[in-house]
């Protein structure tokens, strides 16, 4: 785990009130990461939704894109493969100064996983890591093909530039799960492994409740919180 630093930089929380176009999100992240690197702006956790779209990470295989015309597809510099973003899914873009937080990228990803697991626990869901499968998974019981049925509820994809992180995580609240059918999500085609959401699991959680859980879980998993921001 990354060593927690007592003197962390200030942290701003921002919540977008309307869906954010993906190119606009990239431009905002690029600008903020540069400012964090120079010390001109505090760290930022930006909570938002996107219009329906697919993103292709640096390991994406285009044969995993089954329906190219379904939604716009954006190449992105984050790690990982193809994933879906859209309404009803909370995206958290996390721009943190990793050099101030121990300088360990693997530990940072582990902490992102812990953040999601702690958030889900506050909402009554047991999320788990799985070796070889990025993201957070929910055990759905025995599968007819044998083994366990496991559904992904949260995805992780990050990039680090000059020791500042960008991109982040997404957690499915009540998104249209059929939209994942246009891709092989994160390159995992095994029929035992699907996608789920809090609503699909029977959890009646509002977006403000999810945001509150994300925020309250952050300090324990990613360091001391000293918020300076409001909605945007």
């Amino acid at each position: 785990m990354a060593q927690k630093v007592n003197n962390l930089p200030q942290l701003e929380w921002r919540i977008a009130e309307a869906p954010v176009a993906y190119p606009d999100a990239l431009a905002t992240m690029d600008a903020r990461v540069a400012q964090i690197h120079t010390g001109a702006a505090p760290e930022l956790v930006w909570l938002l939704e996107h219009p329906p779209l697919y993103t292709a990470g640096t390991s994406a295989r285009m044969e995993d894109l089954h329906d190219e015309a379904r939604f716009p597809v954006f190449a992105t510099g984050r790690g990982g493969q193809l994933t879906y973003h859209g309404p009803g899914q909370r995206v958290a873009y996390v721009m943190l100064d990793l050099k101030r937080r121990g300088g360990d990228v693997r530990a940072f990803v582990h902490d992102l996983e812990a953040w999601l697991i702690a958030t889900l626990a506050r909402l009554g869901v047991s999320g788990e890591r799985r070796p070889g499968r990025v993201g957070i998974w929910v055990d759905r019981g025995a599968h007819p093909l044998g083994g366990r049925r496991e559904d992904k509820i949260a995805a992780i994809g990050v990039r680090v530039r000059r020791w500042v992180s960008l991109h982040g995580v997404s957690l499915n609240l009540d998104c249209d799960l059929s939209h994942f059918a246009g891709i092989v999500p994160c390159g995992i085609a095994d029929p035992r492994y699907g996608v789920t959401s809090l609503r699909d699991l029977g959890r009646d959680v509002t977006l403000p409740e999810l945001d509150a859980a994300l925020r309250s879980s952050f300090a324990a998993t990613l360091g001391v919180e000293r918020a300076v921001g409001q909605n945007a």
Side-chain angles (χ1 to χ4, degrees):
M1 300 287 290
Q3 180 183 4
K4 295 299 187 289
V5 182
N6 292 327
N7 186 28
L8 293 178
Q10 283 190 312
L11 173 67
E12 176 185 355
W13 284 85
R14 183 184 300 176
I15 301 176
E17 299 295 340
V20 178
Y22 196 72
D24 294 344
L26 291 179
T28 298
M29 280 192 287
D30 285 344
R32 186 55 170 256
V33 165
Q35 292 173 329
I36 294 170
H37 174 68
T38 62
E43 297 179 324
L44 173 65
V45 179
W46 186 18
L47 305 179
L48 55 84
E49 292 176 290
H50 285 303
L53 57 89
Y54 297 127
T55 64
T58 54
S59 301
R61 301 170 300 193
M62 297 318 293
E63 60 266 28
D64 288 343
L65 179 61
H66 292 162
D67 189 352
E68 188 173 354
R70 189 168 191 169
F71 298 126
V73 181
F74 295 94
T76 177
R78 63 159 175 81
Q81 303 191 39
L82 283 160
T83 195
Y84 165 77
H85 295 308
Q89 180 193 75
R90 181 49 100 201
V91 174
Y93 287 134
V94 183
M95 287 151 269
L96 303 180
D97 184 345
L98 299 189
K99 189 167 284 189
R100 297 283 295 276
R101 293 171 174 270
D104 187 331
V105 176
R106 288 191 178 185
F108 169 60
V109 173
H110 190 275
D111 287 347
L112 289 177
E113 294 170 340
W115 179 34
L116 291 167
I117 290 169
T119 298
L120 289 167
R122 289 177 180 269
L123 302 173
V125 173
S126 178
E128 301 175 335
R129 299 176 177 91
R130 287 293 181 265
R133 286 188 266 134
V134 178
I136 303 303
W137 297 79
V138 177
D139 188 328
R140 306 299 298 274
H143 194 282
L145 297 177
R148 309 294 292 179
R149 175 189 170 195
E150 297 177 349
D151 287 345
K152 191 173 191 176
I153 193 168
I156 299 172
V158 297
R159 183 179 182 182
V160 177
R161 182 186 301 152
R162 295 182 176 178
W163 285 106
V164 180
S165 65
L166 59 163
H167 300 281
V169 305
S170 61
L171 196 156
N172 299 333
L173 176 62
D174 63 352
C175 53
D176 187 339
L177 297 177
S178 70
H179 291 171
F180 286 90
I183 59 173
V184 178
C186 300
I188 301 174
D190 190 317
R192 295 173 298 172
Y193 307 139
V195 290
T196 191
S197 66
L198 289 168
R199 182 61 56 85
D200 184 51
L201 294 171
R203 300 294 174 180
D204 188 15
V205 178
T206 66
L207 193 56
E209 288 171 339
L210 173 55
D211 290 346
L214 284 164
R215 189 159 180 168
S216 61
S217 300
F218 186 91
T221 53
L222 282 153
V224 177
E225 175 186 336
R226 290 180 287 161
V228 299
Q230 301 295 327
N231 293 356

